[in-house]
Amino acid sequence: MFSYCSDPDTLDTFRWFSCYLTNGVHWSFYASFLKVLALLAVTAPVALSFGFAGAMSARSHFPPFSWLGKTYIAIVRGVPDIAFFLFFVIALDQGFEWIRHKVLCPDWTDPIRQGNDFLVCQAAKLPLGTSPEWVHETYGFFLAVITFSIVFGAFAANVLFGGMRAVPHAQLETAEAYGMSRRQTFWKILVPQMWVYALPGLSNLWMVLIKATPLLFLLGIEDIVYWARELGGTKTSKFTQYPHGDWRMWYFLALLIFYLGMTRVSELGLEKLMRRLSHGQATSGGELLRKETTA
Amino acid sequence: MSCVQTIQDYGLRSLGLGERLLPKTDFTLCEHFTLIGSGMIWNIYFGIMAMVTGFFLATALAMGKASSNKWLRKPSEWFIFLFRGSPLFIQFFFAYFFFLSLKKPYPMFDSFTSAWLGALIVLFLNTAAYSGEIFYGALRSIPKGDIEAADAYGMSGWSRFQRIIWPTMLRLAWPAYTNEAIFVFQSTTLVFFSAFPAWQQRGDALYYASYFADKTFNPFVPYPILAFYFILLTLVIVWGFGMVNKHLNRHLPAERKAKMRFRLNLAR
């Protein structure tokens, strides 16, 4: 990047590193951090809405909905989430291709599963073999977001379900006494109040989501783990201007520090949010705030 | 080939006994069940060893974090933050490459780069940090009266810890600790997907499940089988820890007994 970088062999240590850390592949490495942040930014709201839908359906008085919601929550418990990640990526991909196959090639007669192969017609392939590179990458990222959302949606559903049940029952009875319909009680009384009860669980979930992002690597995305392994590996002068030994340990140390920083920042942010939400609530946190301001 | 034959061939495959070559084509349901079940041996090994060793360090960490001595408190706090604040997956990678770089100058670190020891150490430290935080929380919620009563009886130091503080801490922490146990067993599946190599294809349950999924390109058979095994394992853990919970609460009147509540199991 700098002008003195043209001949790395002549540089002193500090300059060598300043060149090494700003070369082309390292910018890809830094960009992959943005990928992780983008995944968090997209997944969190999507998973939350999945969770909200799951919790609503688990609360439903119509049995099939309630079973559906409860099964969704129950299945994700008890099974390692990494198994889900590995499962959904193939399953979703095959599901999409199967649907497109049915729609686009209705007169195809061969079975789709032939022995160990999964065959759909050319037009149904996702993404199309002819599409440019970025479409493949975006599609992979899109599958990852859905997978994360499904898994974390179930966790969020569980937390929100608990939060909804924690709202004092007297509140709901009062709403009924005022003549509110079930729908009005739900949206105007229950939903605004449940957040403070759900927040400890949701903040825990956010921490877990942060710590699950390295699993992107298993979904075949070129994320920070991928680049750390690539860049850290031993390089000889044959292939690069910057030969070095096995530095993977240091790259992963950097990732470790990155995640510790993320955790610390989130902890501080969530604490602030909790203070704000506790304001005026009939919880011990709210009581503490009230005492602080009156004292 | 009958199913009994398959079990004889592959039942202990994950330990390197029996048939050397994994099945290549025409996978039967029996082979799926046998190999994935055989891989569970590793998950159970990692889980139990990490829990047993981690328990002692966790108690020490909780006592350290609750200590008024700065030199005990600060290291415990940092240790817990370090292992709870970063992903286990990255910890596995870091530890593997760390041991790898130690191996060159010091050959005695040879076995640390293989999963049975290296991954176990990471799991041990990780579960110690998480359980340490749970125990610390329980330590802080021991009823004040219990400790005052112990003081009144003239107990102090080791006897107070051993007879009053430690049992009460365990009793209060047990439901959360059960969740932690379920967690640990689930996170053992990460071992062979991080850097640790599965030597001679001796892997854990998920390793074999993904082997089948890769070969058949059909995720709908191996992963549900894996899920079946893990749900079974979870039920066994819940049952076992429930028995201990009963034992810990045996002196309490029925209505005050802490109900075991199992909250969600999250990844880390």
Side-chain angles (χ1 to χ4, degrees), chain A residues 83 86-87 90-91 94 113 116, chain B residues 27 32 36 193 205-224:
Chain A
L86 295 178
F87 170 78
I90 312 182
Q94 291 188 355
R113 283 202 190 283
N116 289 346
Chain B
F27 305 97
H32 276 89
I36 295 174
F193 281 85
L206 187 65
Y207 176 83
Y208 289 123
S210 79
Y211 170 82
F212 284 122
D214 283 350
K215 285 272 185 280
T216 60
F217 207 55
N218 179 3
F220 297 97
V221 180
Y223 290 121

Side-chain angles (χ1 to χ4, degrees), chain B residues 242-260:
Chain B
M243 297 295 277
V244 178
N245 191 49
K246 229 181 223 165
H247 180 79
L248 288 171
N249 283 303
R250 68 193 182 284
H251 60 291
L252 292 179
E255 70 270 19
R256 271 187 56 205
K257 277 184 188 165
K259 281 266 156 52
M260 289 285 272

Side-chain angles (χ1 to χ4, degrees), chain B residues 8 23 31 82 89 102 106 150 153 169 210 239:
Chain B
Q8 277 176 359
E31 282 170 343
L82 184 68
F89 198 51
L102 277 184
Y106 312 103
Y153 272 103
M169 177 190 89
S210 79
W239 177 79

Side-chain angles (χ1 to χ4, degrees), chain A residues 19-275:
Chain A
C19 290
Y20 173 68
L21 291 176
T22 52
N23 66 7
V25 274
H26 273 85
W27 286 112
S28 312
F29 177 49
Y30 304 140
S32 65
F33 281 91
L34 291 180
K35 249 183 218 172
V36 169
L37 296 179
L39 177 86
L40 282 173
V42 178
T43 307
V46 177
L48 199 61
S49 49
F50 273 40
F52 198 78
M56 263 173 74
S57 107
R59 269 186 96 252
S60 163
H61 286 251
F62 181 56
F65 273 162
S66 131
W67 292 333
L68 196 72
K70 282 182 180 152
T71 320
Y72 173 46
I73 296 174
I75 280 190
V76 182
R77 298 170 55 173
V79 181
D81 61 337
I82 171 180
F84 275 98
F85 288 131
L86 295 178
F87 170 78
F88 272 121
V89 165
I90 312 182
L92 281 173
D93 189 36
Q94 291 188 355
F96 289 141
E97 287 195 343
W98 183 78
I99 293 169
R100 281 169 61 93
H101 178 81
K102 286 282 166 204
V103 175
L104 294 173
C105 317
D107 41 347
W108 187 277
T109 49
D110 296 340
I112 288 182
R113 283 202 190 283
Q114 297 176 4
N116 289 346
D117 288 321
F118 180 86
L119 287 174
V120 292
C121 62
Q122 280 300 322
K125 285 252 163 58
L126 253 186
L128 293 172
T130 53
S131 15
E133 164 99 17
W134 68 269
V135 176
H136 286 261
E137 281 184 14
T138 316
Y139 180 67
F141 190 75
F142 169 72
L143 281 184
V145 167
I146 299 188
T147 308
F148 267 79
S149 302
I150 290 174
V151 173
F152 280 87
F155 295 148
N158 204 4
V159 171
L160 291 177
F161 186 62
M164 285 177 185
R165 290 212 300 199
V167 173
H169 209 70
Q171 295 276 345
L172 306 182
E173 283 166 3
T174 313
E176 237 169 81
Y178 272 99
M180 284 187 175
S181 67
R182 275 184 63 92
R183 176 182 294 247
Q184 278 175 323
T185 314
F186 181 76
W187 287 109
K188 299 208 163 142
I189 307 296
L190 187 68
V191 172
Q193 290 195 58
M194 73 179 195
W195 296 110
V196 69
Y197 298 101
L199 191 68
L202 287 181
S203 40
N204 186 21
L205 207 55
W206 169 252
M207 299 291 193
V208 175
L209 179 62
I210 291 177
K211 285 184 265 169
T213 49
L215 298 182
L216 266 182
F217 170 65
L218 298 178
L219 310 186
I221 309 264
E222 294 184 357
D223 75 331
I224 46 181
V225 178
Y226 170 85
W227 283 112
R229 267 166 52 122
E230 284 291 301
L231 297 176
T234 309
K235 299 278 191 303
T236 53
S237 50
K238 218 179 222 170
F239 301 105
T240 169
Q241 287 183 297
Y242 305 94
H244 60 74
D246 188 351
W247 284 357
R248 284 176 292 187
M249 181 182 134
W250 303 110
Y251 277 89
F252 279 99
L253 187 66
L255 293 194
L256 215 62
I257 292 168
F258 166 71
Y259 277 106
L260 287 175
M262 291 277 287
T263 307
R264 192 80 199 110
V265 169
S266 312
E267 266 177 8
L268 296 175
L270 289 166
E271 212 165 285
K272 269 203 174 139
L273 188 65
M274 187 68 196
R275 267 181 82 88

